[in-house]
Amino acid sequence: MGNIETVKKMYELFAKRDNDGIRNIFDEKIKWNQMKGFPGGGQYVGAELIFEKVFGGFKDNWTDWKAKITRYIDSGDGVFVIGFYEGIYNKTKKYMKAEFACEYKIKNGKIIEFNQYTDTFLIAEAMGKTK
């Protein structure tokens, strides 16, 4: 599988909530860098922490959380993904849509690092954290 196919597969598995499939694509020491100000923001190492601190929050706090991809760009040692997040925050019932760019670094067919870039204000606004 090429780099773009690996990342596409991860998003397909995420949409199906196939955590075991995602674990098979993640390197055991994957570094996940979620933007500060984003739900679950910070750096996590290893799939278990990512599932607990990042993915679990989406499932528990958002309705219809989606990452829609509009473009994949192969960067040689990984992939840049352009798209937008959208969903409804459960506590406020506010809809949110925010554009993003994410970088995935890949080695030997496994995702070894994730770096996220997005508008955290729009997400905080939906969560009722701005005034």
Side-chain angles (χ1 to χ4, degrees), residues 16-111:
K16 294 177 185 175
R17 302 181 196 272
D18 183 349
N19 294 345
D20 290 333
I22 294 170
R23 281 183 182 88
N24 288 330
I25 291 176
F26 284 177
D27 183 84
E28 68 179 48
K29 294 181 182 177
I30 184 174
K31 291 181 186 171
W32 194 272
N33 298 300
Q34 193 97 336
M35 287 197 62
K36 293 177 185 168
F38 193 84
Q43 183 182 75
Y44 305 98
V45 177
E48 293 313 311
L49 273 179
I50 295 164
F51 280 95
E52 177 187 339
K53 301 291 186 180
V54 180
F55 297 165
F58 296 128
K59 181 182 73 167
D60 295 341
N61 298 310
W62 294 85
T63 299
D64 295 326
W65 178 268
K66 293 180 187 90
K68 298 228 178 178
I69 312 307
T70 58
R71 188 167 181 202
Y72 295 88
I73 304 163
D74 195 316
S75 62
D77 66 345
V79 175
F80 283 94
V81 176
I82 311 296
F84 58 89
Y85 299 118
E86 67 178 337
I88 299 168
Y89 191 65
N90 293 339
K91 288 182 184 173
T92 63
K93 305 297 185 225
K94 289 185 179 179
Y95 170 79
M96 177 281 312
K97 183 176 180 179
E99 295 175 331
F100 70 80
C102 297
E103 175 190 29
Y104 291 89
K105 293 186 180 178
I106 300 169
K107 185 175 182 180
N108 298 324
K110 301 273 187 177
I111 299 172

